[in-house]
Amino acid sequence: MGKPRVFSGIQPTGDIHLGNYLGAIRNWVEGQSNYENFFCVVDLHAITVSHDPKALAADTRKVAALYLACGIDLECASVFVQSHVSAHSELTWLLNCITPLNWLEDMVQFKEKAVKQAENVGTGLLDYPVLMAADILLYNTDKVPVGEDQKQHLELTRDIAARMNYLYGSEENPVLKLPEPMIRAEGARVMSLTDGTRKMSKSDPSELSRINLLDPPETIQQKIKRCKTDSVRGLTFDDSERPECHNLLTLYMILSNQTKESVTQECAEMGWGQFKPLLMETMIAALKPIQDKYQEIMAEPGYLESVLRQGRQNAEAIANPTLARVKAALGYSIPL
Ligand code: AMP
Ligand code: TRP
């Protein structure tokens, strides 16, 4: 038996921020040696809301380079681009035809994003979770490390796989494997710096609401200086009246590699004037190695392309046989 397989992905839209890092990439890196990993830059998902064609390729390379800069190890992981493996689009169509429309209409993220798009809601936005299911199911994935916000999409993925198996497979011969979500408690939901009740998001119009992984030290300083706090003295976790305080302490705890107990003690008597510089310094120091590595990767001509080429090969070796299996189960069987 080989190692269990992990699949995950991030969209190349906007800059990768601390929420993406702490909720997703950091967990990929931490467990990677125990798994056979596929990390995808999901550029087909990126066009489900309006996008800039001129920026797509550069943004896609940037996300792939950041995966590597954050410590993804090519000894145990393949890094590739979704649109390079056509099986993703093809399986999406096959899954579309067995997915009840109301399952998609019930997705919270769809409802939220549809409101923001006003009258311009594309069919792709509704279909987004089916494409995500195809991503995962093509690789007979065991585990999917994501942030809390993706839990509903993973449940849907399992429902779609179960429906495919029920309709076109048998108990002894399931067509698709049901994946398990992998969601860590800490960092699973990093909140906005300007509103501790909303999650940090690429689509927030305010740059001040998030820290991007490639933000230079001066920018981090400015953003932390101006981030929302409260007027209570002494800093505490888990006070529902103080969401910003909880979020900032959690960020400090994770980025400084401390336990909740030690941060609780260290910060119990602090005011914001004392805590903010500490958080800034910790954040700048934690991001520096990632930023240095990113510059190195981008400076080496052809390196990233060679990684993505190899990634595509490894991905196709698994995705294409899965697609063939689903097509056979559905009755596509004329040999040529
Ligand atoms: P996206 O930015 O939507 O492409 O998300 C990529 C990954 O980052 C997914 O696994 C998300 O669950 C995770 N993620 C995005 N925003 C946050 C956040 N504020 N806190 C924790 N995880 C997040
Ligand atoms: N929908 C995910 C997000 O916004 C990104 C994604 C696409 C993904 N396909 C995936 C995550 C497959 C995990 C597995 O965060």
Side-chain angles (χ1 to χ4, degrees), residues 27-330:
N27 304 332
W28 307 354
V29 171
E30 218 173 75
Q32 61 182 333
S33 60
N34 302 320
Y35 304 106
E36 179 194 0
N37 304 278
F38 285 88
F39 297 123
C40 183
V41 184
V42 291
D43 59 345
L44 296 172
H45 279 105
I47 66 165
T48 55
V49 292
S50 54
H51 83 292
D52 175 6
K54 288 193 215 73
L56 185 62
D59 286 349
T60 301
R61 294 180 85 246
K62 195 167 170 182
V63 174
L66 272 173
Y67 285 0
L68 300 172
C70 289
I72 295 299
D73 178 358
L74 296 170
E75 288 289 316
C76 55
S78 301
V79 171
F80 73 104
V81 175
Q82 190 183 31
S83 65
H84 288 168
V85 178
S86 59
H88 290 248
S89 303
E90 206 173 336
L91 182 61
T92 300
W93 177 255
L94 304 177
L95 298 180
N96 274 339
C97 295
I98 63 151
T99 304
L101 188 55
N102 67 318
W103 288 8
L104 300 180
E105 287 165 342
D106 283 345
M107 292 291 113
V108 172
Q109 200 168 77
F110 169 69
K111 289 189 241 176
E112 283 172 5
K113 287 192 185 175
V115 172
K116 285 190 204 149
Q117 293 287 303
E119 280 167 32
N120 207 358
V121 181
T123 305
L125 190 63
L126 179 70
D127 205 28
Y128 176 115
V130 181
L131 176 58
M132 177 163 166
D135 296 342
I136 296 168
L137 298 172
L138 275 176
Y139 298 88
N140 307 314
T141 301
D142 295 288
K143 291 184 184 291
V144 186
V146 281
E148 177 74 31
D149 60 340
Q150 295 302 310
K151 201 168 161 197
Q152 196 185 29
H153 289 161
L154 281 177
E155 282 158 12
L156 181 84
T157 300
R158 288 171 59 87
D159 289 345
I160 292 175
R163 189 164 164 90
M164 176 67 81
N165 291 343
Y166 172 73
L167 292 173
Y168 300 106
S170 62
E171 218 156 282
E172 313 79 66
N173 246 336
V175 187
L176 295 169
K177 178 163 194 168
L178 270 61
E180 302 283 339
M182 212 155 92
I183 298 171
R184 287 244 312 226
E186 284 154 14
R189 222 174 140 74
V190 175
M191 308 313 280
S192 156
L193 297 183
T194 45
D195 178 352
T197 62
R198 294 183 21 192
K199 74 168 188 169
M200 186 177 284
S201 157
K202 288 172 184 166
S203 59
D204 193 314
S206 167
E207 268 298 320
L208 288 176
S209 69
R210 62 187 160 261
I211 303 279
N212 297 318
L213 289 194
L214 296 175
D215 277 347
E218 312 78 71
T219 309
I220 297 178
Q221 264 163 359
Q222 274 167 11
K223 287 179 177 174
I224 298 295
K225 211 175 267 169
R226 296 180 56 184
C227 77
K228 187 172 176 202
T229 54
D230 54 31
S231 51
V232 184
R233 220 188 137 72
L235 306 181
T236 49
F237 281 100
D238 300 323
D239 183 339
S240 59
E241 306 282 298
R242 306 183 69 190
E244 286 81 18
C245 187
H246 178 82
N247 188 44
L248 296 174
L249 282 182
T250 306
L251 288 178
Y252 175 60
M253 172 184 83
I254 300 174
L255 295 173
S256 65
N257 269 321
Q258 294 190 64
T259 60
K260 198 166 173 179
E261 290 70 43
S262 75
V263 172
T264 304
Q265 262 189 4
E266 185 186 356
C267 304
E269 308 291 322
M270 277 186 197
W272 291 110
Q274 218 180 336
F275 177 74
K276 279 191 173 185
L278 187 66
L279 178 62
M280 274 175 212
E281 253 173 62
T282 308
M283 212 174 260
I284 291 167
L287 295 187
K288 179 152 195 319
I290 296 176
Q291 298 178 348
D292 291 350
K293 188 83 200 290
Y294 175 84
Q295 299 304 342
E296 251 173 60
I297 292 166
M298 290 309 240
E300 198 176 327
Y303 172 69
L304 196 60
E305 285 67 24
S306 72
V307 169
L308 297 178
R309 206 173 301 122
Q310 182 65 52
R312 171 174 63 183
Q313 255 181 37
N314 299 348
E316 283 183 335
I318 298 178
N320 290 345
T322 307
L323 178 64
R325 193 169 73 235
V326 176
K327 286 176 84 172
L330 291 173

